[in-house]
Amino acid sequence: MEKIVEQGLLYDFYGELLTDHQKKVYEDAVYNDMSLSEIAEIYGISRQGVHDLIKRCDKLLQGYEDRLHLVERFASVKEKVEQIEKEATQEQIRRLAGEILEEL
């Protein structure tokens, strides 16, 4: 999985477990695609501080995933529903599978 996609998924599932400051910096780095320098200037910290904070958040989020496996389960369910949708011959099953996929 591409790193930025993985970071986004981990943040979607576990981001609320970070502090407000960690969330803001991480969102700026991952979602807003801001440089370390830009983030450092906004928050009044060094580029190295921003880098360390992002790495720490990555490690925390991955630690939650290693224990809880929510992203892994989500990907597995999504894959199975996509397979059902693809292989189903009955229109109702296809419709339901599509609805489930939209909710994921």
Side-chain angles (χ1 to χ4, degrees):
M1 188 179 318
E2 190 177 330
K3 182 177 178 161
I4 197 76
V5 173
E6 184 179 359
Q7 285 177 310
L9 279 172
L10 289 172
Y11 183 79
D12 287 345
F13 278 87
Y14 306 111
E16 288 301 314
L17 299 172
L18 300 176
T19 67
D20 287 338
H21 179 68
Q22 288 172 325
K23 285 192 274 190
K24 289 176 187 174
V25 171
Y26 201 78
E27 285 174 5
D28 284 343
V30 175
Y31 289 116
N32 300 328
D33 198 28
M34 294 173 68
S35 70
L36 297 179
S37 298
E38 291 171 318
I39 297 169
E41 187 176 320
I42 290 171
Y43 296 103
I45 55 179
S46 68
R47 288 179 69 243
Q48 185 64 46
V50 173
H51 179 268
D52 292 346
L53 181 66
I54 293 167
K55 290 294 180 191
R56 195 169 336 127
C57 289
D58 281 337
K59 192 172 185 176
L60 281 169
L61 296 173
Q62 188 59 56
Y64 294 133
E65 175 60 14
D66 291 344
R67 283 178 248 133
L68 301 172
H69 306 285
L70 296 178
V71 174
E72 180 183 323
R73 287 186 213 155
F74 170 80
S76 175
V77 168
K78 184 177 180 195
E79 182 180 314
K80 289 172 186 170
V81 171
E82 287 172 346
Q83 186 177 358
I84 289 170
E85 184 181 43
K86 182 179 179 182
E87 295 178 13
T89 56
Q90 296 176 5
E91 187 58 37
Q92 185 178 16
I93 294 173
R94 285 189 182 143
R95 183 183 55 75
L96 289 172
E99 289 175 13
I100 292 170
L101 280 174
E102 286 179 23
E103 290 180 27
L104 294 176

